Amino acid sequence: MSVELTANTSPETATETEWEPPMPPTDLIFDDGEPLESNRHRIAMNVLIRSLQQAWSERHDFYTGGNMFIYYSSEQARNRDFRGPDFFAVLDVDGTKERQGWVVWQEGGRYPDVIVELMSPSTARVDKGKKKELYQQTFRTPDYFVFDPFEANAFQGWHLQSSGGYQLLEANERGWLWCETLGFWLGTWSGTIDREEAIWLRFYDTEGNLVLLPE
């Protein structure tokens, strides 16, 4: 309750108003109008999202999305300092809830558990530098991967160690990287998707089978 100060009231005798933390911004923007780097980047993102949804079609305890804003602090929201991974997955959340973006303080403080950034020559330095540092130190995302849809050899991944930062993952004999959080391998697959032939980043199960798309 506020106290009105008058000529007969000294600051020492006034009751201080209880401090309340500032409310997070409510005027969040969820679309900046910026497209993905290329049509291949768009397809590559949707392949990861749709195949994970297909693999776990009976589950409702996870959320996966891509090219969406992730709001993680009031300061970042006010500065319009957006961080939108190309693909991300969060476990142990209500996957049926409708979302325009991922707002950490509306999700019980949950950050993405897995992130994949689809690089291009213009974003590679940020994806492997500034963003990797953010995902390691602030998000504490357990598994982080980068892949260039136009350069199949530019595929790397890191797993967050409990006693430190990211440790570079070692590929198996097929060149795949293990995603411990999801329990799938991430590896390349050559073929045509949505009328575009390319080498795509795909999920594989523990037996080495390709995780299929819904169709």
Side-chain angles (χ1 to χ4, degrees):
M1 181 177 68
S2 63
V3 175
E4 183 179 356
L5 292 178
T6 68
N8 297 322
T9 306
S10 67
E12 290 76 17
T13 60
T15 302
E16 293 185 359
T17 303
E18 290 187 5
W19 181 85
E20 294 183 0
M23 293 294 293
T26 57
D27 58 338
L28 302 180
I29 294 176
F30 293 102
D31 184 4
D32 62 0
E34 292 293 328
L36 289 170
E37 290 285 328
S38 68
N39 185 57
R40 188 176 297 184
H41 282 78
R42 179 188 61 81
I43 297 172
M45 177 190 73
N46 288 330
V47 164
L48 293 173
I49 294 172
R50 294 169 64 232
S51 58
L52 184 61
Q53 290 175 337
Q54 174 67 16
W56 289 349
S57 59
E58 302 299 320
R59 293 177 54 173
H60 303 289
D61 62 343
F62 75 101
Y63 182 80
T64 181
N67 197 33
M68 295 169 58
F69 291 143
I70 291 184
Y71 288 101
Y72 57 90
S73 74
S74 298
E75 180 181 0
Q76 171 239 356
R78 285 192 297 270
N79 295 338
R80 305 300 191 206
D81 183 16
F82 302 120
R83 299 293 172 189
D86 295 314
F87 167 88
F88 70 95
V90 191
L91 306 185
D92 301 320
V93 296
D94 180 5
T96 64
K97 177 182 175 182
E98 185 176 349
R99 298 170 171 93
Q100 291 182 285
W102 190 265
V103 185
V104 169
W105 58 83
Q106 295 177 358
E107 302 286 352
R110 292 300 313 279
Y111 289 84
D113 294 302
V114 178
I115 289 176
V116 178
E117 291 287 4
L118 300 169
M119 299 187 300
S120 67
S122 64
T123 68
R125 175 174 291 184
V126 173
D127 291 335
K128 293 192 289 185
K130 185 177 180 180
K131 283 192 173 183
K132 178 171 171 278
E133 182 179 348
L134 175 73
Y135 301 152
Q136 172 184 272
Q137 297 184 359
T138 301
F139 285 26
R140 302 297 292 171
T141 295
D143 290 298
Y144 176 48
F145 301 88
V146 294
F147 177 73
D148 186 339
F150 288 91
E151 180 54 64
N153 292 327
F155 176 41
Q156 290 179 290
W158 297 266
H159 181 71
L160 190 66
Q161 300 298 306
S162 58
S163 58
Y166 278 137
Q167 180 175 346
L168 187 66
L169 293 171
E170 293 187 11
N172 67 3
E173 66 279 1
R174 298 181 179 182
W176 300 352
L177 300 178
W178 177 246
C179 181
E180 182 176 321
T181 304
L182 299 181
F184 290 117
W185 292 97
L186 269 169
T188 56
W189 175 85
S190 180
T192 302
I193 302 177
D194 290 351
R195 297 184 295 182
E196 182 155 353
E197 184 177 0
I199 297 177
W200 307 99
L201 188 63
R202 302 289 300 270
F203 290 114
Y204 293 86
D205 65 21
T206 54
E207 297 179 353
N209 301 306
L210 180 69
V211 174
L212 303 178
L213 292 165
E215 61 269 22

